[in-house]
Amino acid sequence: MRIGIGYDIHRLKEGRSLILGGILIPHTQGLEGHSDADALTHAVCDSLLGAMNEGDLGRYYPTSDPEFKNVDSLEMLKGVGEKLAQRGFHLVNLDTVIIAQAPRLGSYLSDMAKRLAEVLDVSPDLVSVKVKSSDHIGAIGRTEGIASQAVCLIESV
């Protein structure tokens, strides 16, 4: 068995769509980044890659590569899930948290968990998505960005 941890943060910006866990969230701003900037999915990818000792997301999807400009982060997660299977592992469980002051995300968490589970081809009960505010502290508290953390447990098949 192996564990992995992932983290990602992106700045909020006008004129971008807000996508978290592959779900489009209605909001006045979206996350800025080279891809679709889905901070939750990026943290999940990093946790899985870390558990496999395969580095981080930038190793496979570098921001310097125009091929990945505006790429759907769920496609990246699908690739990481395929690498997991190729390496002979399967996901035991995945626990995540989104840190955001705004918008309110509680009503979207179940959909995010289901979407991540679908892409990873696992039962939704293996994926947990939570949200916490930062109580108006720091850049996230000032609604300048959104961060996510993920931890996973994998085991050999």
Side-chain angles (χ1 to χ4, degrees):
M1 298 187 101
R2 296 175 174 208
I3 61 169
I5 187 168
Y7 172 83
D8 198 36
I9 187 168
H10 287 275
R11 185 180 306 274
L12 283 162
K13 179 182 178 182
E14 298 285 333
R16 294 273 299 193
S17 296
L18 178 58
I19 300 168
L20 291 167
I23 304 299
L24 180 63
I25 310 294
H27 191 53
T28 59
Q29 298 177 306
L31 295 173
E32 182 177 25
H34 186 69
S35 67
D36 64 6
D38 182 339
L40 176 59
T41 301
H42 293 178
V44 170
C45 288
D46 274 348
S47 72
L48 292 165
L49 288 167
M52 292 185 284
N53 196 22
E54 288 284 341
D56 65 15
L57 197 57
R59 180 178 188 179
Y60 298 95
Y61 302 96
T63 57
S64 59
D65 190 335
E67 176 185 351
F68 304 119
K69 180 74 174 156
N70 297 318
V71 70
D72 181 340
S73 294
L74 292 179
E75 287 300 314
M76 292 189 263
L77 181 60
K78 182 178 179 184
V80 171
E82 289 169 355
K83 179 172 282 304
L84 189 73
Q86 290 166 357
R87 291 278 315 273
F89 293 105
H90 74 98
L91 182 66
V92 176
N93 78 303
L94 173 66
D95 188 26
T96 69
V97 62
I98 303 165
I99 304 102
Q101 193 66 45
R104 305 291 285 183
L105 297 171
S107 63
Y108 301 99
L109 300 178
S110 177
D111 290 340
M112 291 179 205
K114 287 177 189 169
R115 189 71 182 114
L116 293 170
E118 178 184 312
V119 171
L120 290 169
D121 196 26
V122 298
S123 173
D125 69 336
L126 300 181
V127 178
S128 168
V129 179
K130 305 175 299 296
V131 66
K132 295 289 183 184
S133 79
S134 62
D135 290 327
H136 303 281
I137 298 169
I140 293 174
R142 292 187 300 271
T143 67
E144 295 173 13
I146 293 176
S148 294
Q149 295 178 335
V151 63
C152 71
L153 179 65
I154 63 173
E155 69 179 349
S156 296
V157 176

